[in-house]
Amino acid sequence: MAPRMVFEQELEQLKEKIKGMGEYAGIGLNKLLLALKADDREALKQLLDSDRQIVDMQRRIEAGCLALMTKQQPVARDLRLVSAALKAVSDLERIGDHVSDMAELFLRRNTGVGEKEGDEILLNMLEEARTMFREAVESFVEGDAETARMVIDSDDGVDALFNQMKDKMMEAIRTQSLDADSVVDNLMIAKYLEKVGDHAVNVAEWTLFQLTGEIGGMEIY
């Protein structure tokens, strides 16, 4: 088989690995949402170590990317894909960390989700951030610029919900309807969810980079 054909197969395999890592991270977000809706504390406990396997995936993909760049002679578009993959896996890995951190915070609660002020906002944030992340990974694997731009635009919705949560928690402090620990935990969870949205935007931006060579409005190559 010609070297170029072999290289193209390896690039497709790289995208499949990114897809697998993204799906694994997405499953963590799905499990978190289901555990919260079902008030399943055992399921939350299982998510505490959800970041270990995703770290292994990240390391294997990074090693594969470096091998592609050193053993092959990629053209500009190929090099953009490999470079974007190296960057994107860091965002994918962070999702696993955030899922674990949020599970730990939810386990500190003495009531189920839906019983305290701000819970509806948190669930809405989780739904939106989860959708953003799924679509961002899809855009990267498929090379879909339109979906990538939609993900970037939808980040405003998650940010708006985060601001709603801050306002809600300020009101809870004024009225003393929640204790200080609950307010802090809710704000931390909301911040993690905002970061999930940010990571989704990053992946979407790396999608556009691999297609155009531009990142943040600047042309790199």
Side-chain angles (χ1 to χ4, degrees), residues 101-180:
D101 292 334
M102 286 187 285
E104 183 175 359
L105 288 169
F106 279 118
L107 282 168
R108 288 165 49 136
R109 298 167 59 119
N110 55 14
T111 61
V113 174
E115 300 179 23
K116 288 188 175 182
E117 291 180 63
D119 285 359
E120 183 177 354
I121 297 175
L122 291 179
L123 290 175
N124 287 339
M125 284 188 76
L126 179 51
E127 291 271 17
E128 292 205 20
R130 181 183 65 155
T131 298
M132 281 181 65
F133 180 70
R134 183 183 68 248
E135 292 178 348
V137 173
E138 178 184 318
S139 76
F140 189 96
V141 174
E142 300 297 330
D144 186 342
E146 182 178 355
T147 298
R149 293 189 180 97
M150 287 174 57
V151 170
I152 294 169
D153 291 341
S154 63
D155 191 44
D156 290 342
V158 174
D159 289 343
L161 287 169
F162 179 65
N163 290 330
Q164 286 182 33
M165 175 58 78
K166 288 193 293 185
D167 292 341
K168 179 71 73 174
M169 291 302 98
M170 288 297 295
E171 179 64 22
I173 292 172
R174 284 193 292 268
T175 61
Q176 297 185 339
S177 56
L178 288 177
D179 60 74

Coordinates of all heavy atoms in Angstrom, one line a residue, residues 101-180:
D101 N -15.5 16.0 39.8 CA -15.6 17.0 40.8 C -17.0 17.4 41.2 O -17.4 17.6 42.3 CB -14.9 18.3 40.3 CG -13.4 18.2 40.2 OD1 -12.8 17.3 41.0 OD2 -12.7 18.8 39.4
M102 N -17.9 17.4 40.1 CA -19.3 17.7 40.4 C -20.0 16.6 41.1 O -20.8 16.8 42.0 CB -20.0 18.0 39.0 CG -19.7 19.3 38.4 SD -20.7 19.7 37.0 CE -19.9 18.6 35.7
A103 N -19.6 15.3 40.8 CA -20.2 14.2 41.6 C -19.9 14.3 43.0 O -20.7 14.1 43.9 CB -19.7 12.9 41.0
E104 N -18.6 14.7 43.3 CA -18.2 14.8 44.7 C -19.0 15.9 45.4 O -19.5 15.7 46.6 CB -16.7 15.2 44.8 CG -16.2 15.3 46.2 CD -14.7 15.5 46.2 OE1 -14.1 15.5 45.2 OE2 -14.1 15.6 47.4
L105 N -19.3 17.0 44.7 CA -20.0 18.1 45.4 C -21.5 17.7 45.6 O -22.1 18.0 46.6 CB -19.9 19.4 44.5 CG -18.6 20.1 44.5 CD1 -18.5 21.1 43.4 CD2 -18.3 20.7 45.9
F106 N -22.1 17.0 44.6 CA -23.5 16.6 44.7 C -23.6 15.6 45.9 O -24.7 15.6 46.6 CB -24.0 16.0 43.4 CG -24.4 17.0 42.4 CD1 -23.8 17.1 41.2 CD2 -25.5 17.9 42.7 CE1 -24.2 18.1 40.3 CE2 -25.9 18.9 41.8 CZ -25.3 19.0 40.6
L107 N -22.6 14.8 46.1 CA -22.7 13.8 47.2 C -22.6 14.5 48.6 O -23.0 13.8 49.6 CB -21.5 12.8 47.1 CG -21.7 11.7 46.0 CD1 -20.3 11.0 45.8 CD2 -22.8 10.7 46.4
R108 N -22.2 15.7 48.6 CA -22.2 16.4 49.9 C -23.5 16.9 50.4 O -23.7 17.2 51.5 CB -21.2 17.6 49.8 CG -19.8 17.3 49.7 CD -18.9 18.5 49.3 NE -19.2 19.7 49.9 CZ -18.3 20.5 50.4 NH1 -17.0 20.2 50.2 NH2 -18.6 21.7 51.0
R109 N -24.5 16.9 49.4 CA -25.8 17.4 49.7 C -26.6 16.4 50.6 O -26.4 15.1 50.5 CB -26.6 17.6 48.4 CG -26.0 18.7 47.5 CD -26.6 18.7 46.2 NE -28.0 18.9 46.2 CZ -28.6 19.9 45.7 NH1 -27.9 20.8 45.0 NH2 -29.9 20.1 45.7
N110 N -27.5 16.9 51.4 CA -28.3 16.0 52.2 C -29.8 15.9 51.6 O -30.6 15.3 52.3 CB -28.4 16.5 53.7 CG -28.8 18.0 53.8 OD1 -29.3 18.5 52.8 ND2 -28.6 18.6 54.9
T111 N -30.0 16.5 50.5 CA -31.3 16.4 49.8 C -31.0 16.0 48.3 O -29.9 16.3 47.8 CB -32.0 17.7 49.9 OG1 -31.3 18.7 49.2 CG2 -32.3 18.1 51.3
G112 N -32.0 15.5 47.6 CA -31.9 15.2 46.2 C -31.9 16.5 45.4 O -32.4 17.6 45.9
V113 N -31.5 16.4 44.2 CA -31.5 17.6 43.3 C -33.0 17.8 42.9 O -33.7 16.9 42.5 CB -30.7 17.3 42.0 CG1 -30.8 18.4 41.0 CG2 -29.2 17.1 42.4
G114 N -33.3 19.1 42.9 CA -34.7 19.5 42.6 C -35.4 20.0 43.9 O -36.5 20.5 43.8
E115 N -34.8 19.8 45.0 CA -35.4 20.2 46.3 C -34.9 21.5 46.9 O -35.4 22.0 47.9 CB -35.2 19.1 47.3 CG -35.8 17.8 46.9 CD -35.6 16.7 47.9 OE1 -35.4 17.0 49.1 OE2 -35.6 15.5 47.5
K116 N -33.9 22.1 46.2 CA -33.3 23.4 46.7 C -33.3 24.4 45.7 O -33.4 24.1 44.5 CB -31.9 23.1 47.3 CG -31.8 22.3 48.5 CD -30.4 22.3 49.1 CE -30.3 21.6 50.4 NZ -28.9 21.6 51.0
E117 N -33.2 25.7 46.1 CA -33.1 26.8 45.2 C -31.9 26.6 44.3 O -30.8 26.3 44.7 CB -33.0 28.1 46.0 CG -34.2 28.5 46.8 CD -34.0 29.8 47.5 OE1 -33.8 30.8 46.8 OE2 -34.0 29.8 48.7
G118 N -32.1 26.9 43.0 CA -31.0 26.9 42.0 C -30.9 25.5 41.4 O -30.2 25.4 40.4
D119 N -31.5 24.5 41.9 CA -31.4 23.2 41.3 C -31.8 23.1 39.8 O -31.2 22.4 39.0 CB -32.1 22.1 42.1 CG -31.4 21.8 43.4 OD1 -30.3 22.3 43.6 OD2 -31.9 21.0 44.2
E120 N -32.9 23.8 39.5 CA -33.4 23.7 38.2 C -32.5 24.4 37.2 O -32.2 23.9 36.1 CB -34.8 24.5 38.1 CG -35.4 24.4 36.7 CD -36.8 25.1 36.6 OE1 -37.3 25.5 37.7 OE2 -37.3 25.2 35.5
I121 N -31.8 25.4 37.7 CA -30.8 26.1 36.8 C -29.6 25.2 36.6 O -29.1 25.1 35.4 CB -30.3 27.4 37.5 CG1 -31.5 28.4 37.6 CG2 -29.2 28.0 36.6 CD1 -31.1 29.7 38.4
L122 N -29.2 24.5 37.6 CA -28.1 23.5 37.5 C -28.4 22.4 36.5 O -27.6 22.1 35.6 CB -27.7 22.9 38.8 CG -27.0 23.8 39.8 CD1 -26.8 23.1 41.1 CD2 -25.8 24.5 39.3
L123 N -29.6 21.9 36.5 CA -30.0 20.8 35.6 C -30.1 21.4 34.2 O -29.7 20.7 33.2 CB -31.3 20.2 36.0 CG -31.3 19.4 37.3 CD1 -32.7 19.0 37.7 CD2 -30.4 18.1 37.1
N124 N -30.6 22.6 34.0 CA -30.6 23.2 32.7 C -29.2 23.4 32.1 O -29.0 23.2 30.9 CB -31.4 24.5 32.7 CG -32.9 24.3 32.9 OD1 -33.4 23.2 32.6 ND2 -33.6 25.3 33.4
M125 N -28.3 23.9 33.0 CA -26.9 24.1 32.6 C -26.3 22.8 32.1 O -25.6 22.7 31.1 CB -26.1 24.7 33.7 CG -26.3 26.1 34.0 SD -25.1 26.8 35.2 CE -23.7 26.9 34.1
L126 N -26.6 21.7 32.9 CA -26.0 20.4 32.6 C -26.5 19.9 31.2 O -25.8 19.4 30.4 CB -26.3 19.4 33.7 CG -25.8 18.0 33.5 CD1 -24.3 17.9 33.1 CD2 -26.1 17.1 34.8
E127 N -27.8 20.1 31.0 CA -28.4 19.7 29.7 C -27.8 20.4 28.6 O -27.4 19.8 27.6 CB -29.9 19.9 29.8 CG -30.7 19.1 30.7 CD -31.2 17.8 30.0 OE1 -30.7 17.4 29.0 OE2 -32.1 17.1 30.6
E128 N -27.7 21.7 28.7 CA -27.1 22.5 27.6 C -25.6 22.3 27.4 O -25.2 22.2 26.2 CB -27.4 24.0 27.9 CG -28.8 24.4 27.8 CD -29.1 25.9 27.5 OE1 -28.1 26.5 26.9 OE2 -30.2 26.4 27.8
A129 N -24.9 22.2 28.5 CA -23.4 21.9 28.3 C -23.2 20.6 27.7 O -22.3 20.4 26.9 CB -22.8 22.1 29.7
R130 N -24.0 19.6 28.1 CA -23.9 18.2 27.5 C -24.1 18.2 26.0 O -23.4 17.6 25.3 CB -24.9 17.3 28.3 CG -24.8 15.9 27.8 CD -25.9 15.0 28.5 NE -27.2 15.4 28.1 CZ -28.3 14.6 28.2 NH1 -28.1 13.4 28.6 NH2 -29.4 15.1 27.8
T131 N -25.2 19.0 25.6 CA -25.5 19.0 24.2 C -24.3 19.8 23.4 O -23.9 19.3 22.3 CB -26.8 19.8 24.0 OG1 -27.8 19.1 24.6 CG2 -27.1 19.9 22.5
M132 N -23.9 20.8 24.0 CA -22.7 21.6 23.4 C -21.5 20.7 23.2 O -20.9 20.6 22.1 CB -22.3 22.8 24.2 CG -23.2 24.0 24.1 SD -22.5 25.3 25.2 CE -21.0 25.6 24.4
F133 N -21.2 19.9 24.2 CA -20.0 19.1 24.1 C -20.2 18.0 23.1 O -19.3 17.7 22.3 CB -19.7 18.5 25.5 CG -18.5 17.6 25.5 CD1 -17.3 18.1 25.4 CD2 -18.7 16.2 25.7 CE1 -16.2 17.3 25.4 CE2 -17.6 15.4 25.7 CZ -16.3 15.9 25.5
R134 N -21.4 17.3 23.1 CA -21.6 16.3 22.1 C -21.5 16.8 20.7 O -20.8 16.2 19.8 CB -23.0 15.7 22.3 CG -23.3 14.5 21.4 CD -24.7 14.0 21.6 NE -25.7 14.9 21.1 CZ -26.6 15.6 21.9 NH1 -26.5 15.3 23.2 NH2 -27.4 16.4 21.4
E135 N -22.1 18.0 20.4 CA -22.0 18.5 19.1 C -20.6 19.0 18.7 O -20.2 19.0 17.6 CB -23.0 19.7 19.0 CG -24.5 19.2 19.1 CD -25.5 20.3 19.0 OE1 -25.1 21.5 19.1 OE2 -26.7 20.0 18.8
A136 N -19.9 19.5 19.7 CA -18.5 19.9 19.4 C -17.6 18.7 19.0 O -16.8 18.8 18.0 CB -17.9 20.6 20.7
V137 N -17.7 17.6 19.7 CA -17.0 16.4 19.3 C -17.4 15.9 17.9 O -16.6 15.6 17.1 CB -17.2 15.3 20.3 CG1 -16.5 14.0 19.9 CG2 -16.6 15.7 21.7
E138 N -18.7 16.0 17.7 CA -19.2 15.6 16.4 C -18.6 16.5 15.3 O -18.2 16.0 14.2 CB -20.7 15.6 16.4 CG -21.4 15.3 15.0 CD -22.9 15.5 15.0 OE1 -23.5 15.1 16.0 OE2 -23.4 16.0 14.1
S139 N -18.6 17.8 15.5 CA -18.1 18.7 14.5 C -16.6 18.4 14.2 O -16.2 18.5 13.1 CB -18.3 20.1 15.0 OG -17.3 20.5 16.0
F140 N -15.9 18.1 15.3 CA -14.4 17.8 15.1 C -14.2 16.6 14.2 O -13.4 16.6 13.3 CB -13.7 17.6 16.4 CG -12.2 17.6 16.4 CD1 -11.5 18.7 16.6 CD2 -11.6 16.4 16.1 CE1 -10.1 18.7 16.5 CE2 -10.2 16.4 16.0 CZ -9.5 17.5 16.2
V141 N -14.9 15.5 14.6 CA -14.7 14.2 13.9 C -15.2 14.3 12.4 O -14.5 13.8 11.5 CB -15.4 13.1 14.6 CG1 -15.3 11.8 13.8 CG2 -14.8 12.9 16.0
E142 N -16.3 15.0 12.2 CA -16.9 15.1 10.9 C -16.3 16.3 10.1 O -16.6 16.4 8.9 CB -18.4 15.2 11.0 CG -19.1 14.1 11.7 CD -18.9 12.8 11.0 OE1 -18.8 12.8 9.7 OE2 -18.9 11.7 11.6
G143 N -15.5 17.1 10.7 CA -15.1 18.3 10.0 C -16.2 19.2 9.6 O -16.2 19.7 8.5
D144 N -17.1 19.4 10.5 CA -18.4 20.2 10.2 C -18.3 21.6 10.8 O -18.5 21.8 12.0 CB -19.5 19.4 10.9 CG -20.9 20.0 10.5 OD1 -20.9 21.2 10.1 OD2 -21.9 19.3 10.7
A145 N -18.0 22.5 9.9 CA -17.8 23.9 10.3 C -19.1 24.6 10.8 O -19.1 25.3 11.8 CB -17.2 24.8 9.2
E146 N -20.2 24.2 10.2 CA -21.5 24.8 10.6 C -21.8 24.4 12.0 O -22.3 25.3 12.8 CB -22.6 24.4 9.6 CG -23.9 25.0 9.9 CD -25.0 24.6 8.9 OE1 -24.7 23.9 8.0 OE2 -26.2 24.9 9.2
T147 N -21.7 23.2 12.3 CA -22.0 22.7 13.7 C -21.0 23.3 14.7 O -21.4 23.7 15.8 CB -21.9 21.2 13.8 OG1 -22.9 20.6 12.9 CG2 -22.2 20.7 15.2
A148 N -19.8 23.5 14.3 CA -18.8 24.1 15.2 C -19.2 25.5 15.5 O -19.1 25.9 16.7 CB -17.4 24.1 14.6
R149 N -19.6 26.3 14.5 CA -20.0 27.6 14.8 C -21.3 27.7 15.7 O -21.4 28.6 16.5 CB -20.3 28.4 13.5 CG -19.0 28.6 12.6 CD -19.2 29.5 11.4 NE -17.9 29.6 10.7 CZ -17.6 28.9 9.6 NH1 -18.4 28.0 9.1 NH2 -16.4 29.1 9.0
M150 N -22.2 26.7 15.5 CA -23.4 26.7 16.3 C -23.0 26.5 17.8 O -23.6 27.1 18.7 CB -24.3 25.6 15.8 CG -25.0 25.9 14.5 SD -26.0 24.5 13.9 CE -27.1 24.2 15.3
V151 N -22.0 25.6 18.0 CA -21.6 25.3 19.4 C -21.0 26.6 20.0 O -21.3 27.0 21.1 CB -20.5 24.2 19.4 CG1 -19.9 24.1 20.8 CG2 -21.1 22.9 19.0
I152 N -20.2 27.3 19.2 CA -19.6 28.5 19.7 C -20.7 29.6 20.1 O -20.6 30.2 21.2 CB -18.6 29.1 18.7 CG1 -17.4 28.2 18.5 CG2 -18.1 30.5 19.1 CD1 -16.5 28.5 17.4
D153 N -21.7 29.7 19.2 CA -22.7 30.7 19.5 C -23.6 30.3 20.7 O -24.1 31.1 21.4 CB -23.6 30.8 18.3 CG -22.9 31.5 17.1 OD1 -21.9 32.1 17.3 OD2 -23.4 31.3 15.9
S154 N -23.8 29.0 20.9 CA -24.7 28.5 22.0 C -24.0 28.7 23.4 O -24.7 28.5 24.4 CB -25.1 27.1 21.8 OG -23.9 26.2 21.8
D155 N -22.8 29.0 23.4 CA -22.1 29.2 24.7 C -22.8 30.4 25.5 O -22.7 30.4 26.7 CB -20.6 29.5 24.5 CG -19.9 29.4 25.9 OD1 -20.1 28.5 26.7 OD2 -19.0 30.3 26.1
D156 N -23.3 31.3 24.8 CA -24.0 32.4 25.5 C -25.1 32.0 26.4 O -25.4 32.5 27.4 CB -24.6 33.4 24.4 CG -23.5 34.2 23.7 OD1 -22.3 34.2 24.2 OD2 -23.7 34.8 22.6
G157 N -25.8 30.9 26.0 CA -26.9 30.3 26.8 C -26.4 29.8 28.1 O -27.0 30.0 29.2
V158 N -25.3 29.1 28.1 CA -24.7 28.5 29.3 C -24.2 29.7 30.2 O -24.4 29.7 31.4 CB -23.6 27.5 29.0 CG1 -22.9 27.1 30.3 CG2 -24.1 26.3 28.3
D159 N -23.6 30.7 29.6 CA -23.1 31.8 30.4 C -24.3 32.6 31.0 O -24.2 33.0 32.2 CB -22.4 32.8 29.5 CG -21.0 32.2 29.1 OD1 -20.5 31.3 29.7 OD2 -20.5 32.8 28.1
A160 N -25.4 32.7 30.3 CA -26.6 33.3 30.9 C -27.1 32.6 32.1 O -27.5 33.2 33.1 CB -27.7 33.5 29.8
L161 N -27.2 31.2 32.0 CA -27.6 30.4 33.1 C -26.7 30.5 34.3 O -27.1 30.6 35.5 CB -27.7 29.0 32.7 CG -28.9 28.6 31.7 CD1 -28.7 27.2 31.2 CD2 -30.2 28.7 32.5
F162 N -25.4 30.7 34.0 CA -24.4 30.8 35.1 C -24.7 32.2 35.8 O -24.7 32.2 37.1 CB -23.0 30.8 34.6 CG -21.9 31.0 35.6 CD1 -21.8 30.1 36.6 CD2 -21.2 32.2 35.6 CE1 -20.8 30.3 37.6 CE2 -20.2 32.4 36.6 CZ -20.0 31.4 37.6
N163 N -25.0 33.2 35.1 CA -25.3 34.5 35.7 C -26.6 34.4 36.5 O -26.7 35.0 37.6 CB -25.4 35.6 34.7 CG -24.1 35.9 34.1 OD1 -23.0 35.8 34.7 ND2 -24.0 36.3 32.8
Q164 N -27.6 33.6 36.0 CA -28.8 33.4 36.8 C -28.5 32.7 38.1 O -29.1 33.1 39.1 CB -29.8 32.6 36.0 CG -30.5 33.3 34.8 CD -31.5 32.3 34.1 OE1 -32.1 31.5 34.7 NE2 -31.6 32.5 32.8
M165 N -27.6 31.8 38.1 CA -27.3 31.1 39.3 C -26.6 32.0 40.3 O -26.9 32.0 41.5 CB -26.4 29.9 39.0 CG -25.9 29.1 40.2 SD -27.2 28.5 41.3 CE -27.7 27.1 40.4
K166 N -25.8 32.9 39.8 CA -25.1 33.8 40.7 C -26.2 34.7 41.4 O -26.1 35.0 42.6 CB -24.1 34.6 40.0 CG -22.8 33.9 39.6 CD -21.7 34.8 39.1 CE -22.0 35.5 37.8 NZ -20.9 36.3 37.3
D167 N -27.1 35.2 40.6 CA -28.2 36.1 41.1 C -29.0 35.3 42.1 O -29.4 35.8 43.2 CB -29.0 36.6 40.0 CG -28.3 37.6 39.1 OD1 -27.3 38.1 39.5 OD2 -28.8 37.8 37.9
K168 N -29.3 34.0 41.8 CA -30.2 33.2 42.7 C -29.5 33.0 44.0 O -30.1 33.0 45.1 CB -30.5 31.9 42.0 CG -31.3 30.9 42.8 CD -32.7 31.4 43.0 CE -33.5 31.2 41.7 NZ -35.0 31.5 41.9
M169 N -28.2 32.7 44.0 CA -27.4 32.5 45.2 C -27.2 33.7 46.0 O -27.2 33.7 47.3 CB -26.1 31.8 44.9 CG -26.2 30.4 44.3 SD -27.0 29.2 45.4 CE -28.7 29.2 44.7
M170 N -27.1 34.9 45.4 CA -27.1 36.1 46.1 C -28.4 36.4 46.8 O -28.4 36.8 48.0 CB -26.8 37.3 45.1 CG -25.4 37.3 44.6 SD -24.1 37.5 45.9 CE -24.5 39.2 46.5
E171 N -29.5 36.1 46.2 CA -30.8 36.2 46.8 C -30.9 35.2 48.0 O -31.5 35.6 49.0 CB -31.9 35.9 45.8 CG -33.3 36.0 46.3 CD -33.7 37.4 46.8 OE1 -33.0 38.4 46.4 OE2 -34.6 37.5 47.7
A172 N -30.4 34.0 47.8 CA -30.4 33.0 48.9 C -29.6 33.5 50.1 O -30.0 33.2 51.3 CB -29.9 31.7 48.4
I173 N -28.5 34.2 49.9 CA -27.7 34.7 51.0 C -28.5 35.8 51.7 O -28.6 35.8 52.9 CB -26.4 35.2 50.5 CG1 -25.5 34.1 50.0 CG2 -25.7 36.0 51.5 CD1 -24.2 34.5 49.3
R174 N -29.2 36.7 50.9 CA -29.9 37.8 51.5 C -31.1 37.3 52.4 O -31.4 37.8 53.5 CB -30.4 38.7 50.5 CG -29.3 39.6 49.9 CD -30.0 40.8 49.0 NE -30.6 40.2 47.8 CZ -30.0 40.1 46.7 NH1 -28.7 40.5 46.5 NH2 -30.7 39.7 45.6
T175 N -31.8 36.3 51.9 CA -33.0 35.7 52.6 C -32.6 34.6 53.5 O -33.5 34.2 54.3 CB -34.0 35.2 51.5 OG1 -33.4 34.2 50.8 CG2 -34.4 36.4 50.6
Q176 N -31.4 34.2 53.5 CA -30.9 33.1 54.4 C -31.7 31.8 54.1 O -32.0 31.0 55.0 CB -31.0 33.5 55.8 CG -30.0 34.6 56.2 CD -30.0 34.9 57.7 OE1 -30.9 34.6 58.4 NE2 -28.9 35.6 58.1
S177 N -32.1 31.6 52.9 CA -32.9 30.4 52.5 C -32.0 29.2 52.3 O -32.5 28.0 52.2 CB -33.8 30.7 51.3 OG -33.0 31.1 50.2
L178 N -30.7 29.4 52.1 CA -29.7 28.3 52.0 C -28.6 28.6 52.9 O -28.2 29.8 53.1 CB -29.2 28.2 50.5 CG -30.1 27.7 49.4 CD1 -29.4 27.8 48.1 CD2 -30.6 26.3 49.8
D179 N -28.0 27.6 53.4 CA -26.8 27.8 54.3 C -25.6 28.1 53.4 O -25.6 27.9 52.2 CB -26.5 26.6 55.1 CG -26.2 25.3 54.3 OD1 -25.2 25.2 53.7 OD2 -27.1 24.5 54.3
A180 N -24.5 28.6 54.0 CA -23.4 29.1 53.2 C -22.7 28.0 52.4 O -22.3 28.2 51.3 CB -22.4 29.7 54.2

